[in-house]
Amino acid sequence: MLILGIESTCDETAAAVVEDGVRVLSNAIATQFELHEKFRGVVPEIASRAHIENILPVIKKATESAGVTLDQIDAIAVAQRPGLIGSLLIGVTAAKTLAWALGKPLVAVDHVQAHLYSVMLQDSPPPCTQGGGWGEGSSSGAQPTAFANTPSPQPPPGLPGGGVRGIGLVCSGGHTALYLIRNWLDVELVGSTIDDAVGEAYDKVAAMLGLPFPGGPAVDRLAAAGDPKSLDLPRSMLGRDSLDFSFSGLKTAVRYRVFGYQGKERSLADLSGQEIANVAASFQAACVETLIKKIVRAVQQFDAGYVIVGGGVSANSGLRAALNQLNVPVFVPPMKFCTDNAAMIAGLGHVLLVAGQTAGLDLDAVTSSSIPRR
Ligand code: KG4
Ligand code: ZN
């Protein structure tokens, strides 16, 4: 079964064709980095306008690269929530129009839930050359990076279906939240950030350090050259049993400890290259330690059998290395499926379609996630 996925929740316009929920036949993305870079953040109105220009060429590219025509597509899946309303509307309108014109089913996908599902995706052809997914590719001897610490890759036990439950962490520019996963369609929110998302903190600290937008990858690269112990930064754990996160204090601590206050300010020009790298490394160590401690806490509280980590920050090298040390199976998507993409939308769309969960042409874009709080 072939699903065309469409994603336009934030600043990426993406379309993908996925076969049977797992094999990614194409994964087209138009990024908007250069449009938002000078503002050091996504400007919603600019993003919406760029989506309008990009959406049709991206859909065309996705079908052409997959070598399929729109007639061969079985259903259209669209990221309907959560996200920026103007951005969401472009993808939802395109998907509804295609579904109506082609007479195909329409499936509405929650973007956050799809980030968790992205560990299921495998490149095809050739399988696993980009380090992702399980299946034929894993028997070729290549070790997929999708499995941070699992020697013989298996689909997460209980996913889809089955009994073992897992903990999911979605960490991105807009979200930092923990989920209890029973199967792909039974996911509950068990903790979330009470202020900034971790990716947002990365982007803000990157801006303080004069690094390009989006800041996460730049801080990550620089951190490798710095001393993570050079700056003693707070790790906000909130309550003893809390599964919530807080990153705004960490961001503010970097601001004041590095650049001073009340007449004792320092500017970026006062810092050496090594000092800047030390800040990046110390900030990254604080983020990673916080995320890992909360994952461990959630695994213990729910007696979970595995962990899935998705969203843009799951591309972080420090986080991936730390996940590798956990003594529970950890599943992380290949790099290219960590950040926003439409393959994960098409993949989860397949699961929803098979479960009979289709949407009507009155489908509307929604800014909040549909995942219920436990
Ligand atoms: O999932 P995503 O593409 O979009 C949202 O839904 O937000 O995540 C984007 C976020 C940005 O904040 C970006 O700085 C961060 O993910 N990010 C990283 C890395 N790569 C992307 N953060 C830390 N380390 C990285 N390597
Ligand atoms: Zn995302």
Side-chain angles (χ1 to χ4, degrees):
M1 195 182 289
L2 293 176
I3 311 283
L4 172 68
I6 296 177
E7 150 71 41
S8 69
T9 55
C10 188
D11 61 337
E12 320 274 13
T13 322
V17 178
V18 174
E19 190 177 22
D20 297 337
V22 290
R23 278 184 296 285
V24 181
L25 303 188
S26 67
N27 184 37
I29 302 184
T31 59
Q32 304 178 9
F33 293 151
E34 68 287 355
L35 295 178
H36 302 288
E37 188 167 13
K38 67 174 175 238
F39 303 102
R40 294 197 175 275
V42 177
V43 182
E45 184 59 27
I46 294 176
S48 315
R49 285 164 189 256
H51 283 309
I52 294 174
E53 287 170 11
N54 292 338
I55 191 85
L56 294 181
V58 162
I59 291 172
K60 192 160 179 271
K61 190 167 173 206
T63 50
E64 282 176 3
S65 314
V68 300
T69 62
L70 283 172
D71 284 338
Q72 292 172 282
I73 298 288
D74 293 291
I76 318 288
V78 63
Q80 175 229 359
R81 62 196 305 169
L84 301 170
I85 192 66
S87 293
L88 285 163
L89 278 169
I90 312 303
V92 168
T93 305
K96 288 202 291 190
T97 308
L98 274 176
W100 174 75
L102 299 167
K104 311 275 181 181
L106 177 69
V107 184
V109 174
D110 186 300
H111 169 95
V112 173
Q113 211 164 332
H115 269 306
L116 295 172
Y117 183 87
S118 60
V119 295
M120 292 290 285
L121 300 172
Q122 47 182 249
D123 274 334
S124 171
C128 285
T129 50
Q130 307 282 338
W134 48 74
E136 312 89 80
S138 55
S139 60
S140 69
Q143 176 66 42
T145 55
F147 306 93
N149 67 355
T150 310
S152 58
Q154 294 293 323
L159 289 182
V164 180
R165 51 196 192 169
I167 288 297
L169 169 72
V170 175
C171 44
S172 69
H175 303 273
T176 303
L178 285 162
Y179 299 91
L180 178 62
I181 306 167
R182 291 197 192 79
N183 64 60
W184 295 125
L185 302 182
D186 185 352
V187 177
E188 286 176 330
L189 178 72
V190 294
S192 64
T193 181
I194 58 169
D195 42 55
D196 293 348
V198 62
E200 188 183 343
Y202 261 94
D203 293 338
K204 295 279 160 51
V205 167
M208 290 180 213
L209 300 180
L211 301 172
F213 173 82
V219 172
D220 191 7
R221 274 193 302 275
L222 202 56
D227 174 7
K229 295 202 169 78
S230 61
L231 207 61
D232 185 22
L233 293 169
R235 277 88 165 133
S236 177
M237 288 295 128
L238 302 172
R240 240 178 89 86
D241 299 323
S242 173
L243 297 179
D244 290 332
F245 300 89
S246 168
F247 289 100
S248 74
L250 172 61
K251 185 184 70 182
T252 311
V254 172
R255 171 77 187 80
Y256 287 129
R257 302 232 182 123
V258 177
F259 298 103
Y261 53 92
Q262 289 180 340
K264 293 182 186 157
E265 286 95 348
R266 292 198 300 169
S267 76
L268 194 55
D270 299 324
L271 300 183
S272 69
Q274 186 59 52
E275 281 174 316
I276 295 176
N278 288 347
V279 176
S282 302
F283 168 75
Q284 178 143 310
C287 290
V288 169
E289 195 181 314
T290 307
L291 293 173
I292 293 287
K293 280 192 171 157
K294 292 283 174 163
I295 289 173
V296 170
R297 205 178 258 187
V299 166
Q300 285 167 351
Q301 284 183 20
F302 293 102
D303 195 20
Y306 60 89
V307 169
I308 290 176
V309 183
V313 182
S314 64
N316 185 267
S317 62
L319 180 60
R320 289 172 98 100
L323 288 168
N324 210 19
Q325 304 301 317
L326 293 182
N327 58 3
V328 59
V330 179
F331 300 87
V332 186
M335 289 291 194
K336 66 180 186 179
F337 300 132
C338 288
T339 46
D340 289 349
N341 66 86
M344 65 183 190
I345 306 298
L348 185 55
H350 174 95
V351 179
L352 288 157
L353 183 69
V354 169
Q357 297 189 26
T358 55
L361 290 177
D362 57 350
L363 180 71
D364 212 349
V366 182
T367 54
S368 59
S369 172
S370 58
I371 302 176
R373 187 173 264 279
R374 190 182 152 80

